[in-house]
């Protein structure tokens, strides 16, 4: 996926100058190492087209900034003779705090450069938390996650994955129906309470961002993403390598696409919305699982022999088919990723197309692939980390001011 278009200009760097070129190349090297996990200097030279000594200088600068570290490859019988190329790794000590409030719990994690969720905690709330509760619980959770690591970890900021509409310009949560929130300044509250730079976006869009960089959507320029969770259904769209955000950040709300003409009233005020008709809670209840056991749902549904479960799955699958049909016909993606509880409704391989995409225009599904999300429950937190890291990845030298 390409860089989002909303990144800031590098402050104090005039365009077309040697300094701008240096900063751009630093960003290219760090971006590659971040996305790939690790690369040798030789691979970085090949991938960037820069010469070897320039790559060496840039890696050295990133190492001095403590954004990467290097190791020597293991010497084995298969290694060619000659000087081995050092392996460059993203620093594990540069972290983002990722927060995902849901209707039943708040998830807080630490995500390192390289997109690794190194620690996470789930705090049960026994109902939708208020924005004040999210701030207070997060503050306590962060203190616990960082305990004993002071001085070891460098926290770049906090990323909030919100199950609702988030205004792109300032992170204001315009609405989160399942939490009962309207116009909550959660981003500002969190920044004030913790002292960390805080950014926020719609959780589903962040999940897609994670899948696009590290998961099933790696290297795919045209993809559609559906995810279902405790707080409803969301999604995201990447077209031509660019994330579709809309005028203010509210794009790709697949949970509120119209799928049932005699449908139920949705909290958004309309009727027949996908997420008003198809819920994780109903599927969990049908197979006798508690909300905290959502990660067992796919297997429980697959192994169920209960006719009532089969009927509910068939009902939900028919509506998923309508939602996927609309998305495929609108966006002509090469890949549709289905994650969260919606995975329980989808088959595999050819069967997946037959199950959820066979009502799309034939030409649009000719080369279409339907794939499950691969990052599992971690994708929203990894996506929130990715949001925090976006400024750093755009201008690594700016970390000097963090
Ligand atoms: Zn709705």
């Amino acid at each position: 996926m390409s860089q989002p278009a909303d990144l800031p200009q590098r402050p104090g760097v005039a365009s077309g100058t040697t300094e701008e070129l240096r900063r751009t190349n630093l960003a290219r090297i760090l971006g590659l190492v971040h996305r790939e996990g690790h690369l040798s200097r030789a691979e970085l030279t090949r991938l960037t087209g820069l010469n070897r000594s320039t790559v060496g200088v840039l890696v050295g600068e990133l190492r001095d900034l403590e954004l990467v570290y290097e190791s020597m490859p293991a010497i084995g019988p298969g290694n060619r003779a000659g000087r081995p190329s050092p392996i460059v790794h993203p620093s594990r000590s540069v972290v983002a705090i990722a927060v995902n409030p849901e209707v039943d719990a708040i998830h807080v994690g630490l995500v390192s450069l390289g997109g690794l969720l190194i620690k996470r905690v789930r705090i049960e709330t026994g109902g939708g938390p208020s924005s004040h509760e999210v701030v207070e619980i997060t503050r306590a959770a962060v203190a616990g996650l960082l305990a004993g690591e002071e001085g070891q970890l460098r926290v770049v900021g906090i990323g909030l994955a919100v199950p609702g509409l988030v205004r792109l310009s300032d992170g204001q949560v315009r609405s989160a129906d399942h939490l009962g929130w309207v116009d909550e300044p959660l981003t500002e509250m969190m920044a004030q309470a913790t002292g960390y730079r805080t950014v926020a976006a719609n959780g589903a869009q962040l999940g897609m961002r994670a899948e696009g960089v590290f998961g099933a959507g790696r290297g795919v320029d045209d993809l559609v993403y559906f995810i279902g969770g405790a707080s409803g259904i969301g999604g995201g769209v990447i077209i031509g390598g660019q994330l579709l955000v809309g005028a203010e950040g509210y794009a790709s709300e697949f949970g509120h696409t119209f799928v049932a003409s005699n449908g139920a009233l949705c909290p958004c005020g309309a009727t027949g919305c996908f997420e008003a008709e198809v819920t994780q809670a109903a599927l969990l209840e049908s197979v006798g699982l508690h909300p905290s056991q959502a990660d067992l749902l796919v297997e429980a549904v697959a192994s169920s022999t209960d006719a009532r479960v089969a009927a509910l799955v068939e009902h939900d699958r028919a509506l998923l088919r309508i939602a996927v049909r609309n998305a495929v016909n609108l966006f002509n993606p090469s890949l549709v990723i289905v994650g969260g509880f919606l995975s329980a409704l989808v088959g595999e391989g050819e069967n997946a197309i037959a199950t959820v995409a066979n009502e799309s225009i034939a030409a649009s599904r000719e080369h279409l692939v339907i794939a499950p999300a691969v990052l599992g429950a971690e994708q929203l937190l990894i996506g929130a980390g990715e949001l925090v890291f976006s400024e750093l990845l755009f201008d690594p030298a700016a970390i000097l001011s963090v």
Side-chain angles (χ1 to χ4, degrees):
M1 193 175 104
S2 307
Q3 288 283 358
D6 58 330
L7 288 168
Q9 290 297 306
R10 296 184 182 103
V13 184
S15 63
T17 59
T18 310
E19 174 63 6
E20 191 201 28
L21 186 61
R22 184 184 73 88
R23 306 270 280 255
T24 300
N25 285 334
L26 279 175
R28 286 172 72 193
I29 300 272
L30 185 61
L32 281 166
V33 171
H34 170 69
R35 288 194 298 275
E36 300 301 325
H38 57 80
L39 288 168
S40 69
R41 285 195 188 192
E43 287 169 314
L44 285 167
T45 301
R46 182 176 58 80
L47 290 169
T48 58
L50 298 168
N51 67 46
R52 204 171 60 177
S53 63
T54 302
V55 167
V57 169
L58 292 165
V59 168
E61 197 169 333
L62 291 171
R63 205 179 47 218
D64 291 345
L65 291 167
E66 298 180 11
L67 294 172
V68 302
Y69 68 95
E70 289 185 279
S71 65
M72 292 308 288
I75 306 295
N79 285 20
R80 285 188 312 200
R83 210 164 50 160
S85 182
I87 310 292
V88 186
H89 307 258
S91 167
R92 300 281 180 262
S93 61
V94 177
V95 299
I97 296 165
V99 183
N100 171 225
E102 287 281 356
V103 290
D104 53 354
I106 299 173
H107 305 262
V108 184
L110 297 180
V111 183
S112 74
L113 267 184
L116 292 180
L117 182 58
I118 53 177
K119 281 187 182 179
R120 70 177 300 174
V121 59
R122 177 182 188 275
I123 303 109
E124 291 256 2
T125 53
S130 69
S131 53
H132 287 280
E133 286 169 324
V134 172
V135 170
E136 285 314 308
I137 290 171
T138 298
R139 195 154 63 162
V142 168
L145 291 172
L146 295 178
E149 310 260 19
E150 296 88 350
Q152 311 288 321
L153 298 177
R154 188 158 33 155
V155 177
V156 181
I158 297 181
L160 306 173
V162 180
L165 301 181
V166 179
R167 189 163 57 206
L168 200 59
S169 57
D170 59 0
Q172 175 90 348
V173 181
R174 299 303 314 282
S175 66
D177 293 334
H178 299 272
L179 297 174
W181 296 1
V182 178
D183 272 321
E184 293 287 342
L186 177 65
T187 307
E188 190 184 336
M189 290 161 60
M190 190 70 82
Q192 280 184 0
T194 62
Y196 291 118
R197 183 177 71 88
T198 305
V199 284
N202 171 267
Q205 286 189 11
L206 293 178
M208 184 185 67
R209 199 158 161 167
E211 285 289 338
V213 177
F214 301 110
R218 276 174 84 101
V220 178
D221 278 344
D222 294 280
L223 74 86
V224 163
Y225 170 84
F226 285 85
I227 181 168
S231 300
I233 295 168
V237 177
I238 291 175
I239 299 178
Q242 295 291 328
L243 178 63
L244 180 75
V245 290
E248 295 186 80
Y250 316 140
S252 61
E253 280 289 337
F254 291 131
H256 298 283
T257 49
F258 181 67
V259 297
S261 55
N262 296 314
L265 181 64
C266 177
C268 79
T271 57
C273 291
F274 186 24
E275 72 172 32
E277 298 292 318
V278 175
T279 67
Q280 174 172 289
L283 273 171
L284 284 171
E285 198 268 326
S286 77
V287 290
L289 289 174
H290 183 266
S292 65
Q293 298 172 301
D295 52 343
L296 304 176
L297 181 65
V298 173
E299 201 179 323
V301 166
S303 60
S304 171
T305 53
D306 187 330
R308 288 169 307 164
V309 174
L312 180 59
V313 166
E314 195 43 54
H315 164 269
D316 288 358
R317 188 179 280 156
L319 300 183
L320 175 62
R321 204 177 293 134
I322 294 172
V324 170
R325 178 182 82 194
N326 289 337
V328 169
N329 291 349
L330 280 173
F331 301 113
N332 184 208
S334 57
L335 173 67
V336 174
I337 298 174
V338 181
F341 82 85
L342 294 174
S343 312
L345 308 174
V346 186
E348 289 181 359
E350 291 285 307
N351 195 24
I353 295 279
T355 307
V356 296
N358 64 354
E359 292 176 354
S360 310
I361 296 169
S364 285
R365 64 173 194 268
E366 244 170 22
H367 303 293
L368 180 67
V369 174
I370 310 280
V374 298
L375 299 179
E378 300 182 346
Q379 58 195 315
L380 298 192
L381 294 179
I382 293 172
E386 200 60 14
L387 183 66
V388 173
F389 289 136
S390 58
E391 272 189 34
L392 171 65
L393 292 169
F394 179 69
D395 192 8
I399 194 164
L400 292 172
S401 61
V402 173

